[in-house]
């Protein structure tokens, strides 16, 4: 019998330590990231003389996309993820590059924009072996505890 490796991510059965506590850590990281984006939005409102407040949804999406893409591209984790000591890895087990970071962020924002995909994504994080969200499943990425 032959086995084909479809991913270089840590095996959740043999290397479960990489996935311990990931759902809770992702939730807390998300809360930190949303708080940081909210603070950035307040600052943008002041700097743009309240224009950002009138166009809140557009500025929120742009700010969130830039924040998440840039921080994930620079260290494979947002600031909230770094605080929780987790990072994203691609199917080859490598840190995400700029293109992968933008695709992951775009997938996240798309899922978060609609109720059913967002609920499905949350359920997947809670119940799947690698605790992958919907964008993670499409891209072959996963959040893991940062290796030492």
């Amino acid at each position: 019998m032959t086995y084909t490796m479809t991913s270089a991510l840590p095996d959740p059965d043999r290397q479960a330590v990489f996935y311990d506590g990931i759902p809770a850590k992702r939730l807390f990281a998300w809360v930190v990231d949303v708080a940081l984006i909210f603070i950035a939005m307040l600052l943008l409102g002041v700097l743009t003389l309240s224009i950002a407040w009138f166009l809140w949804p557009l500025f929120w999406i742009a700010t969130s996309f830039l924040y998440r893409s840039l921080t994930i591209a620079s260290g494979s984790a947002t600031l909230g993820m770094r605080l929780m000591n987790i990072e994203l890895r691609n199917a080859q087990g490598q840190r995400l590059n700029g293109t992968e970071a933008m695709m992951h962020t775009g997938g996240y924002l798309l899922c978060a924009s609609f109720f059913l995909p967002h609920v499905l994504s949350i359920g997947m994080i809670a119940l799947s072996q690698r605790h992958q969200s919907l964008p993670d499943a499409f891209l072959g990425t996963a959040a893991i505890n940062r290796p030492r």
Side-chain angles (χ1 to χ4, degrees), residues 14-15 17 37 70 109 121 132 134:
R14 293 190 184 117
Q15 298 168 307
V17 69
I37 293 167
L70 293 173
L109 289 173
S121 190
Q132 293 172 295
L134 193 56

Side-chain angles (χ1 to χ4, degrees), residues 7-53:
S7 175
L9 290 168
D11 183 276
D13 293 323
R14 293 190 184 117
Q15 298 168 307
V17 69
F18 283 105
Y19 301 103
D20 286 345
I22 290 295
K25 289 180 179 183
R26 285 186 88 158
L27 174 63
F28 291 127
W30 179 82
V31 169
V32 169
D33 293 332
V34 168
L36 291 172
I37 293 167
F38 183 77
I39 291 167
M41 286 296 298
L42 294 177
L43 292 173
L44 272 174
V46 171
L47 293 175
T48 61
L49 304 174
S50 301
I51 292 172
W53 294 330

Side-chain angles (χ1 to χ4, degrees), residues 5-119:
M5 289 288 291
T6 58
S7 175
L9 290 168
D11 183 276
D13 293 323
R14 293 190 184 117
Q15 298 168 307
V17 69
F18 283 105
Y19 301 103
D20 286 345
I22 290 295
K25 289 180 179 183
R26 285 186 88 158
L27 174 63
F28 291 127
W30 179 82
V31 169
V32 169
D33 293 332
V34 168
L36 291 172
I37 293 167
F38 183 77
I39 291 167
M41 286 296 298
L42 294 177
L43 292 173
L44 272 174
V46 171
L47 293 175
T48 61
L49 304 174
S50 301
I51 292 172
W53 294 330
F54 290 110
L55 300 172
W56 187 271
L58 296 175
F59 274 80
W60 181 273
I61 291 168
T63 303
S64 182
F65 185 83
L66 286 172
Y67 165 78
R68 292 175 192 282
S69 294
L70 293 173
T71 55
I72 291 171
S74 69
S76 205
T78 63
L79 297 178
M81 289 176 179
R82 292 174 196 181
L83 184 65
M84 295 295 119
N85 207 28
I86 59 176
E87 66 185 18
L88 293 167
R89 293 294 179 107
N90 64 18
Q92 291 76 37
Q94 303 296 316
R95 291 179 168 192
L96 273 59
N97 61 34
T99 303
E100 291 168 328
M102 288 191 304
M103 289 172 55
H104 191 276
T105 300
Y108 160 75
L109 289 173
L110 187 63
C111 278
S113 298
F114 299 97
F115 179 75
L116 288 177
H118 195 57
V119 170

